[in-house]
Amino acid sequence: MIVDKAIYRDGSRHGCGDLSDELASLRERGDAGSFIWIGLKDPTDEEFALVNSELHLHPLAVEDAVNGHQRAKMEEYERSLFVVLKTLRYVEATSDVETGEVMLFIGDRFVVTVRHGDGNPLQGVRHRLELESGKLAHGPLAVLHSVMDSVVDNYLVVDREIRRDLEQIEEQVFGSAAGGDANTIYRLKREVLEFRRASQPLAETLHLYLERGSGRHLQDDARVFFRDVADHLRLVNDHVDNYDHLLTDMLSAHLAAVSVRQNNDMRRISAWVAIAAVPTMIAGVYGMNFEYMPELSASVHVGTGEFRYGYFVVLLAMGGICVGLYRAFRRSGWL
């Protein structure tokens, strides 16, 4: 749907009527800083076709805008510039990073912004720009910079939230006996990967746009503002790379800790099995129905009676062996 549309002339907002008539009027006037800004949110095919019929956008760019799920990029066509930005939104309740898209069509005296998803609303961007008449006077590129700057600033917000999650997981892995949870580590690693898919392609395409002279729509006095955005992107991408490496190391440390705990458990089980094997073996031997086992009939006369101590000796020997094994395993660290 069309969220907002307006004409901006000399840095101030004016109402917008029929798109084709208003656009023709702006081009006849020849005001460099005058343009139409149309904002769309999850438009239907019919709604987008209506805008396209008035502005005559490039068919390849229109196809990308309608289908969505595009890689961050900046494509220059003969009469327009098409920009795709991946938006990010951090969900506090689940610690997930949700992605969306903002697409911009920059042409002669017009800007069309198409937003998919709930991340990075553009109402605040439009309001801030309307308070800066001097910046609006630069024309459609002022909108491009403001939207791009807002998206990248939101990357920094998501960056801080991921860093906080990373610190918590690091504390769990290295500061607790449990050693953290592999599912939590892997889940955050996936969120970092989602972050990288949004930020790195934008950094690459913005670098090409600025440094290789492909940006014919970009005036020299505006390049410094886009370079500032590029610097923020490089900072974010450095952080994302570091997070990915740290999570890989933490996952390896967690798996190593799990392996050590499993080995310790197996040693304890083996030690107790060895201790339990002694009475099991002795009971198995002396529990058989042998007729002649002289050591069991050994006795001593006590007063007028007879005390048979054979079984007592066997039990005492069995207990001594078990205690000796237990002490040996304790000294070796198996128990």
Side-chain angles (χ1 to χ4, degrees):
M1 62 177 178
I2 298 180
V3 178
D4 196 0
K5 67 176 181 177
I7 297 174
Y8 294 91
R9 185 181 298 113
D10 298 327
S12 59
R13 177 184 176 121
H14 302 272
C16 181
D18 182 76
L19 290 180
S20 58
D21 294 341
E22 297 286 5
L23 193 59
S25 176
L26 288 176
R27 288 171 177 169
E28 289 176 3
R29 288 172 176 267
D31 297 335
S34 300
F35 63 96
I36 299 174
W37 183 356
I38 304 167
L40 304 174
K41 169 68 167 64
D42 294 323
T44 63
D45 293 344
E46 293 76 13
E47 290 171 339
F48 199 85
L50 178 62
V51 174
N52 184 33
S53 65
E54 302 289 346
L55 301 181
H56 306 292
L57 305 174
H58 196 281
L60 292 178
V62 171
E63 181 182 357
D64 289 343
V66 171
N67 294 332
H69 305 291
Q70 300 297 312
R71 191 173 186 267
K73 61 182 179 179
M74 300 177 72
E75 294 284 349
E76 287 193 285
Y77 298 102
E78 183 178 354
R79 294 187 298 176
S80 63
L81 171 67
F82 178 61
V83 181
V84 178
L85 306 174
K86 303 294 285 187
T87 62
L88 298 177
R89 185 170 74 97
Y90 183 82
V91 182
E92 187 72 31
T94 59
S95 297
D96 291 337
V97 177
E98 291 185 355
T99 59
E101 288 176 323
V102 172
M103 303 178 181
L104 297 95
F105 295 85
I106 311 292
D108 183 18
R109 304 292 192 280
F110 70 84
V111 177
V112 179
T113 54
V114 183
R115 185 162 66 94
H116 295 281
D118 297 324
N120 216 109
L122 299 180
Q123 290 181 347
V125 176
R126 186 187 286 261
H127 179 68
R128 287 192 298 271
L129 264 179
E130 289 174 355
L131 297 177
E132 300 180 44
S133 58
K135 189 173 183 179
L136 267 177
H138 285 85
L141 286 177
V143 177
L144 173 60
H145 170 262
S146 296
V147 173
M148 188 178 292
D149 189 53
S150 175
V151 169
V152 174
D153 284 346
N154 202 43
Y155 288 176
L156 296 173
V157 174
V158 177
D159 179 18
R160 287 194 296 269
E161 297 295 339
I162 289 181
R163 186 189 310 138
R164 187 178 298 113
D165 291 343
L166 186 64
E167 291 171 353
Q168 293 176 355
I169 293 177
E170 190 174 17
E171 184 177 352
Q172 293 172 3
V173 171
F174 298 105
S176 66
D181 180 18
N183 290 331
T184 304
I185 300 172
Y186 181 72
R187 186 173 181 177
L188 184 58
K189 192 173 177 65
R190 286 189 62 186
E191 302 307 319
V192 170
L193 179 61
E194 197 73 21
F195 198 162
R196 172 180 285 175
R197 287 173 179 168
S199 63
Q200 285 197 346
L202 179 58
E204 294 168 0
T205 192
L206 182 58
H207 173 76
L208 292 174
Y209 185 71
L210 291 173
E211 302 300 329
R212 295 189 178 180
S214 60
R216 64 176 183 270
H217 296 92
L218 188 62
Q219 293 88 354
D220 291 337
D221 58 348
R223 288 180 182 271
V224 64
F225 296 100
F226 286 92
R227 286 198 179 99
D228 180 67
V229 175
D231 290 339
H232 290 168
L233 269 175
R234 279 192 290 269
L235 177 64
V236 167
N237 286 329
D238 288 344
H239 289 174
V240 170
D241 289 338
N242 291 335
Y243 297 157
D244 187 52
H245 294 322
L246 281 173
L247 285 168
T248 300
D249 293 341
M250 281 193 285
L251 186 59
S252 300
H254 168 75
L255 295 177
V258 170
S259 178
V260 169
R261 288 199 303 273
Q262 289 176 341
N263 289 337
N264 290 336
D265 292 342
M266 287 302 299
R267 290 196 301 177
R268 290 189 182 94
I269 293 171
S270 300
W272 285 113
V273 168
I275 294 173
V278 174
T280 301
M281 180 187 67
I282 294 175
V285 172
Y286 287 95
M288 291 185 285
N289 295 324
F290 290 158
E291 293 183 0
Y292 183 69
M293 300 183 75
E295 67 274 14
L296 298 183
S297 61
S299 62
V300 63
H301 292 279
V302 180
T304 59
E306 183 182 18
F307 175 68
R308 291 194 175 191
Y309 59 85
Y311 275 108
F312 177 75
V313 171
V314 171
L315 292 175
L316 187 64
M318 181 176 64
I321 295 173
C322 290
V323 170
L325 287 173
Y326 176 79
R327 289 178 175 176
F329 285 131
R330 287 282 292 180
R331 285 195 299 268
S332 65
W334 283 44
L335 289 174

